[in-house]
Coordinates of all heavy atoms in Angstrom, one line a residue:
M1016 N 115.4 119.7 83.7 CA 116.0 119.5 85.0 C 117.3 120.3 85.2 O 117.6 120.7 86.3 CB 116.3 118.0 85.1 CG 116.6 117.5 86.6 SD 115.1 117.5 87.5 CE 115.8 117.1 89.1
K1017 N 118.0 120.6 84.1 CA 119.2 121.4 84.2 C 119.0 122.9 84.5 O 118.1 123.5 83.8 CB 120.1 121.2 83.0 CG 120.4 119.8 82.8 CD 121.9 119.7 82.4 CE 122.3 118.2 82.6 NZ 123.6 117.9 81.9
I1018 N 119.7 123.4 85.4 CA 119.7 124.8 85.7 C 121.1 125.4 85.6 O 122.1 124.7 85.7 CB 119.1 125.2 87.0 CG1 119.8 124.4 88.1 CG2 117.6 124.8 87.0 CD1 119.3 124.8 89.5
S1019 N 121.2 126.7 85.4 CA 122.5 127.3 85.3 C 123.1 127.5 86.7 O 122.4 127.4 87.7 CB 122.4 128.7 84.7 OG 121.7 129.5 85.5
C1020 N 124.4 127.8 86.8 CA 125.1 128.0 88.1 C 124.4 129.3 88.8 O 124.3 129.3 90.0 CB 126.5 128.3 87.9 SG 127.4 126.8 87.3
E1021 N 124.0 130.2 87.9 CA 123.4 131.4 88.5 C 122.1 131.1 89.2 O 121.8 131.6 90.2 CB 123.2 132.4 87.3 CG 123.2 133.8 87.8 CD 123.2 134.8 86.6 OE1 122.1 134.9 86.0 OE2 124.2 135.3 86.2
E1022 N 121.3 130.2 88.5 CA 120.0 129.8 89.1 C 120.2 129.1 90.4 O 119.4 129.2 91.3 CB 119.2 129.0 88.1 CG 118.5 129.8 87.0 CD 117.9 128.9 86.0 OE1 118.6 128.3 85.2 OE2 116.6 128.8 86.0
A1023 N 121.2 128.2 90.3 CA 121.5 127.4 91.5 C 121.8 128.3 92.7 O 121.4 128.1 93.8 CB 122.7 126.5 91.3
A1024 N 122.7 129.3 92.4 CA 123.0 130.3 93.5 C 121.8 131.0 94.0 O 121.7 131.3 95.2 CB 124.1 131.2 92.9
T1025 N 120.9 131.4 93.1 CA 119.7 132.1 93.4 C 118.8 131.3 94.4 O 118.4 131.8 95.4 CB 118.9 132.5 92.2 OG1 119.8 133.3 91.3 CG2 117.8 133.4 92.6
I1026 N 118.6 130.0 94.0 CA 117.8 129.1 94.8 C 118.4 128.9 96.2 O 117.7 128.9 97.2 CB 117.6 127.8 94.1 CG1 116.8 128.0 92.8 CG2 116.8 126.8 95.0 CD1 116.8 126.8 91.9
C1027 N 119.8 128.8 96.2 CA 120.5 128.5 97.4 C 120.8 129.8 98.1 O 121.9 129.9 98.8 CB 121.7 127.7 97.1 SG 122.3 126.8 98.6
N1028 N 119.9 130.7 98.0 CA 120.3 132.0 98.6 C 119.3 132.4 99.7 O 118.1 132.6 99.4 CB 120.3 133.1 97.5 CG 121.2 134.2 97.8 OD1 121.6 134.4 98.9 ND2 121.5 135.0 96.8
K1029 N 119.7 132.5 100.9 CA 119.0 132.9 102.1 C 117.4 132.8 102.0 O 116.9 131.7 102.0 CB 119.4 134.4 102.5 CG 119.5 135.3 101.3 CD 120.1 136.6 101.7 CE 120.5 137.5 100.5 NZ 119.5 137.9 99.6
S1030 N 116.7 134.0 102.0 CA 115.3 133.9 102.0 C 114.7 133.3 100.8 O 113.6 132.6 100.9 CB 114.8 135.3 102.2 OG 115.1 136.1 101.0
Q1031 N 115.4 133.4 99.7 CA 114.9 132.8 98.4 C 114.7 131.3 98.6 O 113.8 130.7 98.1 CB 116.0 132.9 97.3 CG 116.0 134.3 96.7 CD 115.1 134.4 95.5 OE1 114.6 133.4 95.0 NE2 114.9 135.6 95.0
Y1032 N 115.6 130.7 99.5 CA 115.6 129.3 99.7 C 114.3 128.8 100.3 O 113.7 127.8 99.9 CB 116.8 128.9 100.5 CG 117.1 127.4 100.4 CD1 118.1 127.0 99.4 CD2 116.5 126.4 101.1 CE1 118.3 125.7 99.2 CE2 116.7 125.1 100.9 CZ 117.7 124.7 100.0 OH 118.0 123.4 99.8
K1033 N 113.9 129.5 101.3 CA 112.6 129.1 102.0 C 111.4 129.2 101.0 O 110.4 128.5 101.2 CB 112.4 130.1 103.2 CG 113.2 129.7 104.4 CD 112.9 130.6 105.6 CE 113.8 130.3 106.7 NZ 113.7 131.3 107.8
E1034 N 111.5 130.1 100.1 CA 110.4 130.4 99.2 C 110.5 129.4 98.0 O 109.6 129.3 97.2 CB 110.4 131.8 98.6 CG 109.9 132.8 99.7 CD 110.3 134.2 99.4 OE1 110.5 134.5 98.2 OE2 110.5 135.0 100.3
A1035 N 111.7 128.7 97.8 CA 111.8 127.8 96.7 C 110.9 126.6 96.9 O 110.8 126.1 98.0 CB 113.3 127.4 96.6
G1036 N 110.3 126.2 95.8 CA 109.4 125.1 95.8 C 110.2 123.7 95.8 O 111.5 123.8 95.7
F1037 N 109.5 122.6 96.0 CA 110.1 121.4 96.0 C 111.0 121.1 94.8 O 112.2 120.7 94.9 CB 109.1 120.3 96.1 CG 109.6 118.9 96.0 CD1 110.2 118.3 97.1 CD2 109.6 118.2 94.8 CE1 110.7 117.0 97.0 CE2 110.1 116.9 94.7 CZ 110.7 116.3 95.8
W1038 N 110.5 121.4 93.6 CA 111.2 121.1 92.4 C 112.5 122.0 92.2 O 113.5 121.6 91.7 CB 110.4 121.3 91.2 CG 109.4 120.1 91.0 CD1 108.1 120.0 91.3 CD2 109.8 118.7 90.7 NE1 107.7 118.8 91.1 CE2 108.7 118.0 90.8 CE3 111.0 118.2 90.3 CZ2 108.7 116.6 90.5 CZ3 111.1 116.8 90.1 CH2 109.9 116.0 90.1
Q1039 N 112.3 123.2 92.7 CA 113.5 124.1 92.6 C 114.6 123.6 93.5 O 115.8 123.6 93.1 CB 113.1 125.5 93.1 CG 112.5 126.3 92.0 CD 112.1 127.7 92.5 OE1 111.3 127.9 93.4 NE2 112.7 128.7 91.9
V1040 N 114.3 123.1 94.7 CA 115.3 122.5 95.6 C 115.8 121.3 95.0 O 117.1 121.1 95.1 CB 114.6 122.3 97.0 CG1 115.6 121.6 97.9 CG2 114.1 123.5 97.6
L1041 N 115.0 120.5 94.4 CA 115.5 119.3 93.8 C 116.4 119.6 92.6 O 117.5 119.0 92.5 CB 114.2 118.5 93.2 CG 114.5 117.1 92.9 CD1 114.7 116.3 94.2 CD2 113.2 116.5 92.2
K1042 N 116.1 120.6 91.8 CA 117.0 121.0 90.7 C 118.3 121.5 91.3 O 119.3 121.3 90.7 CB 116.2 122.1 89.9 CG 115.3 121.5 88.9 CD 114.8 122.5 87.9 CE 113.5 123.1 88.3 NZ 112.9 124.0 87.2
L1043 N 118.2 122.2 92.4 CA 119.4 122.8 93.0 C 120.3 121.6 93.4 O 121.5 121.6 93.2 CB 119.1 123.6 94.2 CG 120.2 124.1 95.1 CD1 121.2 125.0 94.3 CD2 119.7 124.7 96.4
R1044 N 119.7 120.6 94.1 CA 120.5 119.5 94.6 C 121.1 118.8 93.4 O 122.3 118.3 93.4 CB 119.6 118.5 95.4 CG 119.1 119.1 96.7 CD 120.2 119.6 97.6 NE 121.1 118.6 98.0 CZ 122.1 118.7 98.8 NH1 122.4 119.9 99.3 NH2 123.0 117.7 99.1
F1045 N 120.3 118.6 92.3 CA 120.8 117.9 91.2 C 121.9 118.7 90.5 O 123.0 118.1 90.1 CB 119.6 117.9 90.1 CG 120.0 117.0 88.9 CD1 119.9 115.6 89.0 CD2 120.3 117.6 87.7 CE1 120.2 114.9 87.9 CE2 120.6 116.9 86.6 CZ 120.6 115.5 86.7
H1046 N 121.8 120.0 90.6 CA 122.9 120.8 90.0 C 124.2 120.7 90.8 O 125.3 120.5 90.3 CB 122.5 122.3 90.0 CG 123.5 123.2 89.4 ND1 123.6 123.4 88.0 CD2 124.6 123.9 89.9 CE1 124.6 124.2 87.8 NE2 125.2 124.5 88.9
L1047 N 124.0 120.6 92.1 CA 125.2 120.4 93.0 C 125.9 119.1 92.8 O 127.1 118.9 92.9 CB 124.8 120.6 94.5 CG 124.4 122.0 94.9 CD1 124.0 122.1 96.3 CD2 125.4 123.1 94.5
F1048 N 125.0 118.1 92.4 CA 125.6 116.8 92.1 C 126.4 116.8 90.8 O 127.4 116.1 90.7 CB 124.4 115.8 91.9 CG 124.1 115.0 93.1 CD1 122.8 115.0 93.6 CD2 125.0 114.3 93.8 CE1 122.5 114.2 94.7 CE2 124.7 113.5 94.9 CZ 123.4 113.5 95.4
T1049 N 125.9 117.6 89.8 CA 126.5 117.5 88.5 C 127.6 118.6 88.3 O 128.4 118.4 87.4 CB 125.4 117.7 87.4 OG1 124.7 118.9 87.7 CG2 124.5 116.5 87.4
C1050 N 127.5 119.7 89.0 CA 128.4 120.8 88.8 C 129.5 120.8 89.8 O 129.2 121.1 91.0 CB 127.6 122.1 88.8 SG 128.7 123.5 88.5
K1051 N 130.7 120.6 89.4 CA 131.8 120.5 90.4 C 132.1 121.9 90.9 O 132.5 122.0 92.1 CB 133.1 120.0 89.7 CG 133.0 118.5 89.6 CD 134.3 117.9 89.0 CE 134.1 116.4 88.8 NZ 135.1 115.9 87.9
T1052 N 131.9 122.9 90.1 CA 132.2 124.3 90.6 C 131.3 124.6 91.7 O 131.8 125.1 92.8 CB 132.0 125.3 89.4 OG1 132.6 124.8 88.3 CG2 132.5 126.6 89.8
C1053 N 130.0 124.4 91.6 CA 129.1 124.8 92.6 C 129.2 123.9 93.9 O 129.1 124.3 95.0 CB 127.7 124.7 92.1 SG 127.2 126.1 91.0
A1054 N 129.5 122.6 93.6 CA 129.7 121.7 94.8 C 130.9 122.1 95.6 O 130.9 122.1 96.8 CB 129.9 120.2 94.2
K1055 N 131.9 122.5 94.9 CA 133.1 123.0 95.6 C 132.8 124.3 96.3 O 133.2 124.5 97.5 CB 134.2 123.3 94.5 CG 135.6 123.3 95.1 CD 136.6 123.5 94.0 CE 138.0 123.8 94.5 NZ 139.0 124.2 93.5
F1056 N 132.1 125.1 95.7 CA 131.7 126.4 96.2 C 130.9 126.2 97.5 O 131.2 126.9 98.6 CB 130.9 127.2 95.3 CG 130.5 128.6 95.8 CD1 131.4 129.6 96.0 CD2 129.1 128.7 96.2 CE1 130.9 130.8 96.6 CE2 128.7 129.9 96.7 CZ 129.6 131.0 96.9
T1057 N 129.9 125.3 97.5 CA 129.1 125.1 98.6 C 129.9 124.5 99.8 O 129.6 124.7 101.0 CB 127.8 124.2 98.3 OG1 128.3 123.0 97.7 CG2 126.9 124.9 97.5
K1058 N 130.9 123.7 99.4 CA 131.7 123.1 100.5 C 132.5 124.2 101.1 O 132.8 124.1 102.3 CB 132.6 122.0 99.8 CG 132.1 120.6 100.0 CD 133.0 119.6 99.4 CE 132.3 118.3 99.2 NZ 133.1 117.4 98.3
Q1059 N 133.0 125.1 100.3 CA 133.8 126.2 100.9 C 133.0 127.1 101.7 O 133.5 127.7 102.7 CB 134.5 127.0 99.7 CG 135.7 126.2 99.1 CD 136.1 126.9 97.8 OE1 135.5 127.7 97.3 NE2 137.3 126.5 97.4
N1060 N 131.8 127.3 101.3 CA 130.9 128.2 102.0 C 130.1 127.3 103.0 O 129.0 126.8 102.7 CB 130.0 128.9 101.0 CG 129.2 130.0 101.7 OD1 128.9 129.9 102.9 ND2 128.9 131.0 101.0
Q1061 N 130.6 127.3 104.3 CA 129.9 126.4 105.3 C 128.5 126.8 105.5 O 127.6 125.9 105.7 CB 130.7 126.5 106.6 CG 132.0 125.7 106.6 CD 131.8 124.2 106.3 OE1 130.8 123.6 106.9 NE2 132.6 123.6 105.5
M1062 N 128.2 128.0 105.6 CA 126.9 128.5 105.9 C 125.9 128.1 104.8 O 124.8 127.5 105.1 CB 126.8 130.0 106.0 CG 125.7 130.5 107.0 SD 125.7 132.3 107.1 CE 124.8 132.7 105.7
L1063 N 126.3 128.3 103.6 CA 125.5 127.9 102.4 C 125.3 126.4 102.4 O 124.2 125.9 102.2 CB 126.2 128.4 101.2 CG 125.3 128.5 99.9 CD1 124.2 129.5 100.0 CD2 126.2 128.9 98.7
S1064 N 126.4 125.7 102.6 CA 126.4 124.3 102.6 C 125.4 123.7 103.6 O 124.6 122.8 103.3 CB 127.8 123.7 102.8 OG 127.8 122.3 102.8
S1065 N 125.5 124.2 104.8 CA 124.7 123.6 105.9 C 123.2 124.0 105.6 O 122.3 123.2 105.9 CB 125.1 124.1 107.3 OG 125.0 125.5 107.3
L1066 N 123.0 125.1 105.0 CA 121.7 125.6 104.7 C 121.1 124.6 103.7 O 119.9 124.1 103.9 CB 121.7 127.0 104.1 CG 120.4 127.6 103.8 CD1 119.7 128.1 105.1 CD2 120.6 128.9 102.9
C1067 N 121.9 124.2 102.7 CA 121.4 123.3 101.7 C 121.2 122.0 102.3 O 120.2 121.3 101.9 CB 122.4 123.3 100.5 SG 122.4 124.7 99.6
D1068 N 122.1 121.5 103.1 CA 122.0 120.2 103.6 C 120.7 120.1 104.5 O 120.0 119.1 104.5 CB 123.2 119.8 104.5 CG 124.4 119.6 103.5 OD1 124.2 119.3 102.3 OD2 125.5 119.5 104.0
K1069 N 120.5 121.1 105.3 CA 119.4 121.1 106.2 C 118.1 121.0 105.4 O 117.2 120.2 105.7 CB 119.4 122.4 107.0 CG 119.0 122.1 108.5 CD 119.0 123.4 109.3 CE 120.4 123.8 109.8 NZ 120.4 125.1 110.5
A1070 N 118.1 121.8 104.3 CA 116.9 121.8 103.5 C 116.7 120.5 102.8 O 115.6 120.0 102.6 CB 117.0 123.0 102.5
N1071 N 117.8 120.0 102.4 CA 117.8 118.7 101.7 C 117.2 117.6 102.6 O 116.4 116.8 102.2 CB 119.2 118.3 101.3 CG 119.2 116.9 100.6 OD1 118.4 116.6 99.8 ND2 120.2 116.1 100.9
L1072 N 117.6 117.6 103.8 CA 117.1 116.6 104.8 C 115.6 116.8 105.0 O 114.9 115.8 105.1 CB 117.8 116.7 106.1 CG 119.3 116.3 106.2 CD1 119.9 116.6 107.5 CD2 119.3 114.8 105.9
N1073 N 115.2 118.0 105.0 CA 113.8 118.3 105.2 C 112.9 117.9 104.0 O 111.8 117.5 104.1 CB 113.5 119.8 105.5 CG 114.1 120.1 106.9 OD1 114.2 119.2 107.8 ND2 114.4 121.4 107.1
V1074 N 113.5 118.1 102.8 CA 112.7 118.0 101.6 C 112.8 116.6 101.0 O 111.8 116.1 100.5 CB 113.2 119.1 100.6 CG1 112.6 118.9 99.2 CG2 112.9 120.5 101.1
L1075 N 113.9 116.0 101.0 CA 114.1 114.8 100.3 C 114.1 113.5 101.2 O 114.8 113.5 102.1 CB 115.4 114.8 99.5 CG 115.5 115.7 98.3 CD1 116.9 115.6 97.7 CD2 114.4 115.5 97.3
S1076 N 113.3 112.6 100.8 CA 113.3 111.3 101.5 C 114.5 110.5 101.0 O 115.0 110.8 99.9 CB 112.0 110.6 101.4 OG 111.9 110.1 100.1
E1077 N 114.8 109.4 101.6 CA 115.8 108.5 101.1 C 115.5 108.0 99.7 O 116.4 107.9 98.9 CB 116.0 107.3 102.1 CG 116.8 107.7 103.3 CD 118.2 108.3 103.0 OE1 118.9 107.8 102.2 OE2 118.5 109.4 103.6
S1078 N 114.3 107.6 99.5 CA 113.9 107.0 98.2 C 114.0 108.1 97.1 O 114.4 107.8 96.0 CB 112.5 106.4 98.2 OG 111.6 107.4 98.5
E1079 N 113.7 109.3 97.5 CA 113.8 110.4 96.5 C 115.2 110.7 96.2 O 115.6 111.0 95.0 CB 113.2 111.7 97.1 CG 111.7 111.6 96.9 CD 111.0 112.7 97.8 OE1 111.6 113.2 98.7 OE2 109.8 112.9 97.6
K1080 N 116.1 110.6 97.1 CA 117.6 110.8 96.9 C 118.1 109.6 96.0 O 118.9 109.9 95.0 CB 118.3 110.7 98.2 CG 118.3 112.0 99.0 CD 119.2 111.9 100.2 CE 118.6 112.7 101.3 NZ 119.3 112.4 102.6
E1081 N 117.6 108.4 96.2 CA 117.9 107.3 95.3 C 117.5 107.6 93.9 O 118.3 107.3 93.0 CB 117.3 106.0 95.8 CG 118.2 105.3 96.9 CD 119.6 105.0 96.4 OE1 119.7 104.4 95.3 OE2 120.5 105.4 97.1
N1082 N 116.3 108.0 93.7 CA 115.8 108.4 92.4 C 116.6 109.4 91.7 O 116.9 109.3 90.5 CB 114.3 108.9 92.5 CG 113.3 107.7 92.7 OD1 113.7 106.6 92.4 ND2 112.2 108.0 93.3
M1083 N 117.0 110.4 92.5 CA 117.9 111.4 91.9 C 119.2 110.8 91.4 O 119.7 111.2 90.4 CB 118.2 112.5 93.0 CG 117.3 113.7 92.9 SD 117.7 114.9 94.2 CE 119.1 115.7 93.4
K1084 N 119.8 110.0 92.2 CA 121.0 109.3 91.8 C 120.9 108.5 90.5 O 121.7 108.6 89.6 CB 121.5 108.3 92.9 CG 122.5 109.0 93.9 CD 123.1 107.9 94.8 CE 123.3 108.4 96.2 NZ 123.5 107.3 97.2
K1085 N 119.8 107.8 90.4 CA 119.5 107.0 89.2 C 119.3 107.9 88.0 O 119.8 107.7 87.0 CB 118.3 106.2 89.4 CG 118.5 104.9 90.2 CD 117.3 104.1 90.4 CE 117.5 103.1 91.5 NZ 116.2 102.6 92.1
D1086 N 118.6 109.0 88.3 CA 118.4 110.0 87.2 C 119.7 110.6 86.8 O 120.0 110.8 85.6 CB 117.5 111.1 87.8 CG 116.5 111.6 86.8 OD1 115.9 110.7 86.2 OD2 116.3 112.8 86.6
L1087 N 120.6 110.9 87.7 CA 121.9 111.4 87.4 C 122.7 110.5 86.6 O 123.3 110.9 85.6 CB 122.6 111.8 88.7 CG 124.1 112.2 88.6 CD1 124.1 113.6 87.9 CD2 124.7 112.3 90.0
E1088 N 122.7 109.2 87.0 CA 123.5 108.2 86.2 C 123.0 108.1 84.8 O 123.8 107.9 83.9 CB 123.3 106.9 86.9 CG 124.2 106.7 88.1 CD 123.8 105.7 89.1 OE1 122.9 104.9 88.8 OE2 124.4 105.7 90.2
K1089 N 121.7 108.3 84.6 CA 121.2 108.3 83.2 C 121.8 109.4 82.3 O 121.9 109.2 81.1 CB 119.7 108.5 83.2 CG 118.9 107.2 83.2 CD 117.4 107.5 83.1 CE 116.6 106.9 84.3 NZ 115.3 107.5 84.4
H1090 N 122.1 110.5 83.0 CA 122.7 111.6 82.2 C 124.2 111.5 82.0 O 124.7 112.4 81.3 CB 122.3 112.9 83.0 CG 120.9 113.3 82.8 ND1 119.9 112.9 83.7 CD2 120.2 114.0 81.9 CE1 118.7 113.3 83.4 NE2 118.9 114.0 82.3
L1091 N 124.8 110.6 82.7 CA 126.3 110.5 82.5 C 126.7 109.7 81.3 O 125.9 108.8 80.9 CB 126.9 109.9 83.8 CG 126.8 110.8 85.1 CD1 127.3 110.1 86.3 CD2 127.6 112.1 84.9
Ligands
ZN1510 ZN1 127.1 125.2 89.0

């Protein structure tokens, strides 16, 4: 489930993002949850942030987000 910051940046990158599969997007979101550096970066980068949020809304249902949170808590 863990990906590097570089991979996260690649997935969250313009055209790459549209081509990213469900699991890649999920891994990206998970990375943004766990990596303060990337979370901060996406907040600073409004375009990138809104792109990710939009995709997140399209890709993840509420229950899936809940599952991600639970999954995250297991790793803490
Ligand atoms: Zn990162």
